[in-house]
Amino acid sequence: MKNEIKQDYRAAVEMMQSLQHMRDATSMSHFDDSIVQCKRWQRRLEMATQHNWPTAARDARDRLHGALDILRMRTTHSIDNLKRQSRSHIEPTATLIFQEIQALRGEFDSVTIDGSNQRLTVTTTSIVLDGVLLGSFEIRLNWKYIKESSPFDVIALEPNEPASGEGVTHPHVQSDSLCEGEGSDAIRRALDEGRLYDFFCIVDQILRTYNSGSAYVQLDDWNGVNCRSCGDTVDSDQALACSNCETELCMECSTCCDSCCERYCEECASSCESCGDDACKMCLKSCDDCGESFCPSCLSEGTCDDCLNNENAENAKDEPEQPCPAVQPVCVGKASVPA
Amino acid sequence: MKVLLISNDAGGYAHHVEAPDNTTVQQMFERHVGAFHADSYLIRVNRQPAAADQVLRDGDRVSFTPQKIEGAA
Ligand SMILES: [Zn+2]
Ligand SMILES: [Zn+2]
Ligand SMILES: [Zn+2]
Ligand SMILES: [Zn+2]
Ligand SMILES: [Zn+2]
């Protein structure tokens, strides 16, 4: 307990330093460097122009342009920081941040501090949105970067990722990053003011809200299955698995074998050479004679109808012509009659 | 009395406000933020769960966090 308090306070002090760090960055010293650079290239440009040195003038102009750009960037950055500070009504202190961490321990089941990685992690309870179970999430604040945009990760502990949308663990979380939406100003302000308790509550509430108008994957499609053939998303209860290889397919992309009445993927289904009916590769057998594939009803004892017909025809041709037993004696008799 | 009022809605403002004695959480919200629906907000007084009719005291910190905050993509 005593160690936990110590650890919380140490974290609070470090967070305060991270927040302070940015305030110091608004000091004017880095403007001085920028202005010196601008003046320097301005002088070079004047000199090159006077002496009519076109190459040197071009170079000086480019460099002056670059130096002015940096000055402009630094100015914009400082104005942004000033705006942030003027909007802040609470000045963070280490004591205040410490109280915030203490309060988090009352609000969330698990609050952990990883001092070496400068990370404060809170675990949410399990989240279900519109009947879709998304499980619990870790909200990890990387306090070293507390003044930067989105200095936190949102990690699904029991990820239930939809078939479509890689790395999506929540309608508003992709690659462990939350799209803050309408919460972004409140998050920024809470962090700037060291109100960690509010920050974690806001993120928790965003995770408990579904905005169907802007989601990485719609909850309606969450439990869907991607047809491996056409790529469409279909409801999991409407998807079909190939009876042989278990590839998941939509109705249109699966073929029913006319022989066994199971459904198959394109790879595992074919058709009978003779009648043209759809048949799976298990039901199709090759003819012992020609080797082509046929459905069970087109094979008799391992031979296809064509080969059977050919065989019969061959047999008929090969048979020696039998003399008609009745003819000869009659002829003989007939011949003998006139004789 | 003086109360720190934090509204974690779109703006996320925090400011100190003057209030008459015996002001409740709900009255505070209605006076400074707008129409109040108790079940649409997490209400915390000094970072502890509180009811809408809780009476505030000088120096209290009261925060309202909407139950619905829409993320995006
Ligand atoms: Zn398909
Ligand atoms: Zn079959
Ligand atoms: Zn298959
Ligand atoms: Zn057939
Ligand atoms: Zn055959």
Side-chain angles (χ1 to χ4, degrees), chain A residues 242 245 265 268:
Chain A
C242 168
C245 68
C265 73
C268 300

Side-chain angles (χ1 to χ4, degrees), chain A residues 83-96:
Chain A
K83 274 192 197 157
R84 270 191 195 174
Q85 284 176 35
S86 68
R87 279 189 311 219
S88 290
H89 285 79
I90 300 178
E91 277 297 318
T93 62
T95 308
L96 191 134

Side-chain angles (χ1 to χ4, degrees), chain A residues 10 32 42 83 120 124 189 209 314 329:
Chain A
R10 200 177 306 128
D32 297 344
Q42 174 67 33
K83 274 192 197 157
L120 171 57
T124 72
R189 205 173 265 272
T209 307
E314 287 288 319

